Amino acid sequence: MDGEKILEQAIIFIENNLYEPITACNVAHAVSYSYYHFHRYFHAMMGETIGEYIRSRRLTEAAKLLLYSEKKILDIAVSLHFQSHEAFTRAFKNRYDVTPKQYRKNRINTLIGNKPQLDVIELVHRQSKITLTPEIIMVPSKTIMGIRFETSVANNQSSAQWENFNNQLAKMKNIASNSNRYGFFEVNNSCEAKVFNEDSVTTEFIGIEVDKDSIVPSNMLIKEFPGGKYAKFIHTGTVNTLYMTYRYIWGTWFPSSNNQLDMRDDFECYTERFLGVKNDKSQIDIYFPIM
């Protein structure tokens, strides 16, 4: 049996038993592997341990129940095998940055910390299309010429605005078209982990890197990016599959990482490795600000 099938069986077993007292050993046994070998394989392919995956899925299920059911918080905790109300509250706050009671009161289905069930397509994407462990780097300051607009995850305006920008850029003779292009998601209060959701509106600045003394046309703006410490991920695939990479970063890497998200712009960088929006071999560098 190939690796994809083994992982698929393991995920199905976990999903079917979220409300049962399963352990990592039970999962390994379900796919006929020794705990030692499957534990190492799962961690290498998924970017987290079996135990971490089970715990994060249970917390996401708990978050859904807090929003869409009237069950008592203690009953939710017990049904998902947390040892006590206190243990559940501590684990939930560590993942979602608010207590279960506050999460229910806010009525916001947040993205950071949320870990939806993986389907087969996303499972394959996880194994081959994402940098599971990012490179931590200091990004230098840059001068970007471009345009700014409002967008959200649910109402993403990026594709249309990139087409608009590239059409304008093609008319400019004094700008080097082979420079890196950037899409900055500009930070605001709606980007805080405890409130960030599909409908959170932010401004995005897309553009091309230029020299500081470049002449800027009247229909363009300048953004001075100050640089800083970032976690760099590499997404491989079409633009339409980007959401799967972001779901890994938001739902797996940040909650389990020792790095804390900083309130600065995150951004995408399109280099010569970006081969087009529909090219499965295209690569996009994704940068998240960390403290």
Side-chain angles (χ1 to χ4, degrees):
M1 188 183 300
D2 62 33
E4 290 177 9
K5 280 293 183 183
I6 292 168
L7 285 174
E8 183 183 349
Q9 283 192 4
I11 296 302
I12 291 172
F13 177 80
I14 292 170
E15 293 299 329
N16 288 339
N17 292 278
L18 276 181
Y19 288 86
E20 302 298 328
I22 58 170
T23 66
C25 289
N26 297 141
V27 180
H29 180 73
V31 295
S32 303
Y33 260 64
S34 72
Y35 166 75
Y36 175 75
H37 287 98
F38 188 65
H39 175 81
R40 293 182 64 189
Y41 179 72
F42 190 97
H43 188 232
M45 294 293 102
M46 300 293 288
E48 60 190 323
T49 67
I50 303 169
E52 287 170 342
Y53 183 89
I54 295 171
R55 189 177 182 84
S56 60
R57 280 293 298 125
R58 282 176 171 164
L59 286 167
T60 297
E61 190 72 7
K64 184 171 68 175
L65 291 172
L66 288 168
L67 291 181
Y68 305 115
S69 83
E70 298 302 322
K71 288 185 177 181
K72 294 179 180 179
I73 293 176
L74 179 59
D75 291 342
I76 292 173
V78 171
S79 69
L80 288 163
H81 299 280
F82 289 91
Q83 294 180 344
S84 66
H85 187 288
E86 291 75 18
F88 173 61
T89 297
R90 186 164 54 250
F92 193 93
K93 186 174 182 180
N94 186 57
R95 188 169 188 86
Y96 287 96
D97 203 32
V98 293
T99 65
K101 183 178 180 180
Q102 187 63 51
Y103 193 88
R104 173 169 272 174
K105 181 180 178 182
N106 290 345
R107 311 302 298 180
I108 298 173
N109 188 12
T110 61
L111 290 174
I112 297 178
N114 191 283
K115 189 180 188 67
Q117 178 180 348
L118 289 174
D119 59 22
V120 176
I121 295 174
E122 194 162 351
L123 187 60
V124 173
H125 183 84
R126 175 76 62 91
Q127 295 175 63
S128 60
K129 301 292 189 178
I130 311 171
T131 305
L132 295 181
T133 303
E135 181 183 4
I136 307 301
I137 61 174
M138 291 299 297
V139 180
S141 61
K142 304 176 187 299
T143 300
I144 311 297
M145 182 192 73
I147 58 177
R148 179 179 283 112
F149 54 92
E150 287 191 343
T151 190
S152 68
V153 174
N155 185 25
N156 195 317
Q157 299 296 312
S158 295
S159 294
Q161 292 295 338
W162 269 115
E163 183 176 357
N164 174 34
F165 172 76
N166 287 329
N167 288 337
Q168 293 186 53
L169 190 64
K171 301 173 184 178
M172 301 177 195
K173 298 180 180 180
N174 60 332
I175 301 297
S177 61
N178 60 345
S179 296
N180 289 342
R181 287 166 167 77
Y182 293 86
F184 289 90
F185 299 93
E186 298 179 313
V187 70
N188 60 37
N189 291 337
S190 70
C191 299
E192 293 183 20
K194 59 187 177 184
V195 297
F196 180 59
N197 63 88
E198 288 193 346
D199 296 317
S200 295
V201 175
T202 186
T203 55
E204 183 178 356
F205 189 99
I206 62 173
I208 191 168
E209 188 170 2
V210 295
D211 295 330
K212 281 185 175 294
D213 57 356
S214 296
I215 298 174
V216 182
S218 59
N219 61 343
M220 292 283 172
L221 303 171
I222 284 290
K223 179 180 178 69
E224 295 292 350
F225 169 66
K229 187 178 181 181
Y230 278 81
K232 175 187 175 184
F233 298 84
I234 300 175
H235 163 85
T236 301
T238 66
V239 168
N240 285 341
T241 60
L242 257 176
Y243 77 94
M244 291 188 278
T245 296
Y246 277 99
R247 290 218 301 201
Y248 167 76
I249 298 170
W250 291 331
T252 299
W253 188 78
F254 266 119
S256 61
S257 169
N258 291 325
N259 294 288
Q260 187 174 350
L261 181 65
D262 200 3
M263 287 295 287
R264 292 181 284 118
D265 298 351
D266 59 277
F267 65 94
E268 298 167 0
C269 178
Y270 300 80
T271 69
E272 73 284 349
R273 290 180 285 109
F274 180 70
L275 307 175
V277 296
K278 296 182 179 179
N279 193 313
D280 192 51
K281 295 182 179 179
S282 278
Q283 290 192 328
I284 301 171
D285 298 335
I286 301 173
Y287 294 80
F288 271 90
I290 56 176
M291 295 183 178

